[in-house]
């Protein structure tokens, strides 16, 4: 319900739970609700490390078999289809899965209007200046969701980067946020 509420109000959402606590199932449940309420909407885009493509496919098959998946990665799709917008595949998908690396190689994901953009292992964008962080921020979506299993291990700057993806500009620029946290630290020490 919380993920659905956030996506419907235009707020970004972050699930920051340790590994094994159900982030995947929670997202799949929200996608099933989206499929039920908005069957004609644009697909959602899920960005994952390449090593997790198979895991997401298995989990979707097990817990959300009605979701129509398209994996936009050369391990699952001919490269020729990936070079230009795969219009037919996108029209027949509820969820498109790709990788952080593919976002740097393909132009069309940044040109498409996604219903949702979801980042798994979102700590991959904790450095906001990297190419993959910039590629992720260039994606257009009605709602943005970050899934991370390392909430305790992130610095305030890392967390700013995640939140700047899910709610752009809400916490100010990186420089503004850095100054704010330095001022807080200075006040606490005085």
């Amino acid at each position: 319900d919380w993920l659905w509420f956030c996506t419907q109000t235009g707020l970004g959402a972050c699930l920051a739970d340790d590994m094994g606590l159900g982030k995947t199932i929670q997202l799949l449940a929200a996608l099933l609700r989206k499929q039920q309420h908005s069957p004609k909407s644009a697909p959602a885009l899920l960005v994952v490390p390449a090593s997790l493509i198979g895991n997401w496919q298995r989990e979707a098959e097990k817990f959300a078999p009605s979701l129509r998946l398209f994996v936009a990665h050369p391990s699952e799709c001919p490269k020729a289809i990936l070079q230009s917008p795969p219009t037919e595949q996108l029209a027949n998908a509820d969820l498109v899965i790709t990788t952080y690396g593919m976002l740097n190689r393909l132009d069309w994901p940044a040109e498409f209007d996604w219903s949702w953009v979801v980042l798994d292992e979102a700590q991959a964008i904790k450095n906001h200046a990297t190419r993959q962080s910039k590629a992720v921020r260039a994606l257009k979506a009605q709602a943005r969701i970050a899934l991370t299993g390392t909430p305790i291990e992130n610095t305030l700057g890392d967390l700013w980067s995640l939140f700047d993806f899910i709610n752009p500009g809400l916490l100010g620029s990186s420089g503004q946020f850095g100054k704010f946290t330095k001022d807080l630290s200075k006040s606490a020490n005085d």
Side-chain angles (χ1 to χ4, degrees):
D1 283 343
W2 180 76
L3 277 178
W4 183 252
F5 170 78
C6 288
T7 62
Q8 297 309 293
T9 58
L11 293 172
C14 182
L15 290 180
D17 294 327
D18 285 331
M19 192 168 77
L21 293 180
K23 294 182 297 292
T24 301
I25 293 173
Q26 290 177 66
L27 180 69
L28 290 172
L31 287 166
L32 286 172
R33 191 166 180 184
K34 176 182 166 297
Q35 181 189 49
Q36 179 184 17
H37 288 276
S38 307
K40 303 270 190 223
S41 69
L45 177 66
L46 172 64
V47 184
V48 302
S51 62
L52 295 182
I53 291 173
N55 181 63
W56 273 96
Q57 289 174 300
R58 285 187 300 277
E59 296 294 300
E61 179 61 34
K62 182 175 180 179
F63 296 108
S66 67
L67 285 180
R68 299 168 301 156
L69 302 181
F70 169 58
V71 179
H73 191 268
S75 66
E76 299 287 328
C77 180
K79 289 182 183 180
I81 290 177
L82 295 175
Q83 293 310 309
S84 60
T87 308
E88 182 180 334
Q89 289 83 354
L90 294 174
N92 294 313
D94 298 307
L95 179 62
V96 175
I97 302 173
T98 196
T99 64
Y100 291 98
M102 291 305 294
L103 290 181
N104 289 323
R105 294 184 205 118
L106 302 174
D107 294 328
W108 60 264
E111 297 164 0
F112 192 80
D113 290 318
W114 303 99
S115 58
W116 302 356
V117 171
V118 181
L119 305 183
D120 191 14
E121 301 295 337
Q123 65 273 12
I125 66 159
K126 66 183 181 182
N127 181 343
H128 73 281
T130 64
R131 283 182 52 206
Q132 69 187 21
S133 292
K134 291 176 183 176
V136 163
R137 282 181 176 74
L139 297 169
K140 296 179 280 189
Q142 296 164 9
R144 295 168 175 243
I145 301 170
L147 310 176
T148 181
T150 62
I152 303 296
E153 299 157 21
N154 292 310
T155 67
L156 284 176
D158 299 343
L159 293 173
W160 172 87
S161 187
L162 294 180
F163 276 82
D164 193 58
F165 163 73
I166 61 174
N167 290 302
L170 183 67
L171 299 178
S173 69
S174 175
Q176 290 169 322
F177 186 74
K179 182 182 179 322
F180 174 75
T181 57
K182 280 183 187 176
D183 291 347
L184 278 179
S185 179
K186 184 180 175 190
S187 296
N189 291 331
D190 287 343

